[in-house]
């Protein structure tokens, strides 16, 4: 649910806040969009693993590494907003649901 359902949640949030790179002539090609989806799925899986391993400090490392990879592109305001909202929503989904599941498991 976190890895694949998170994609739907992030997309819905980006629609609600109306942050779309297409508004700024930054629409990525379809190949980049597909790769971005796969990166998001893997990112949420990694974040979930960090939550279960009690390594929450690693969450910051994941966000920093992702930002470093996009550093030059973040000069464009529209893309920076799109990236920030998407990254934070994805991170919140993975960490939040991971902590929720982790808190429920001992009680089962």
């Amino acid at each position: 649910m976190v890895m694949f359902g998170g994609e739907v949640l992030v997309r819905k949030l980006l629609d609600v806040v109306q942050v779309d790179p297409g508004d700024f002539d930054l629409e990525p090609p379809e190949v980049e969009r597909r790769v971005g989806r796969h990166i998001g799925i893997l990112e949420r899986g990694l974040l979930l693993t960090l939550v279960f391993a009690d390594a929450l400090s690693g969450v910051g490392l994941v966000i920093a590494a992702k930002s470093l990879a996009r550093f030059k592109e973040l000069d464009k305001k529209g893309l920076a907003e799109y990236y920030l909202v998407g990254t934070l929503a994805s991170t919140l989904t993975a960490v939040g649901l991971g902590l929720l599941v982790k808190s429920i498991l001992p009680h089962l």
Side-chain angles (χ1 to χ4, degrees):
M1 177 171 165
V2 169
M3 291 172 62
F4 298 102
E7 179 182 350
V8 174
L9 290 172
V10 171
R11 179 78 257 152
K12 293 291 183 192
L13 179 64
L14 288 170
D15 289 344
V16 167
V17 297
Q18 298 176 345
V19 176
D20 186 354
D23 294 342
F24 305 94
D25 295 326
L26 300 170
E27 194 66 32
E30 184 58 32
V31 172
E32 284 183 35
R33 189 176 291 235
R34 253 192 326 236
V35 170
R37 285 185 194 127
H38 294 313
I39 289 170
I41 290 167
L42 293 171
E43 170 192 339
R44 284 185 293 277
L46 177 59
L47 292 172
L48 189 62
T49 301
L50 291 170
V51 168
F52 288 149
D54 285 326
L56 290 177
S57 59
V59 172
L61 182 64
V62 171
I63 293 173
K66 192 173 172 190
S67 297
L68 187 61
R70 294 253 185 185
F71 183 72
K72 289 185 180 186
E73 297 174 25
L74 295 178
D75 287 340
K76 302 171 187 165
K77 184 177 186 281
L79 182 63
E81 291 173 352
Y82 178 80
Y83 170 80
L84 187 59
V85 170
T87 296
L88 292 177
S90 184
T91 302
L92 181 62
T93 299
V95 173
L97 289 175
L99 289 172
L100 178 67
V101 168
K102 192 172 175 182
S103 71
I104 292 171
L105 284 178
H107 303 291
L108 296 178

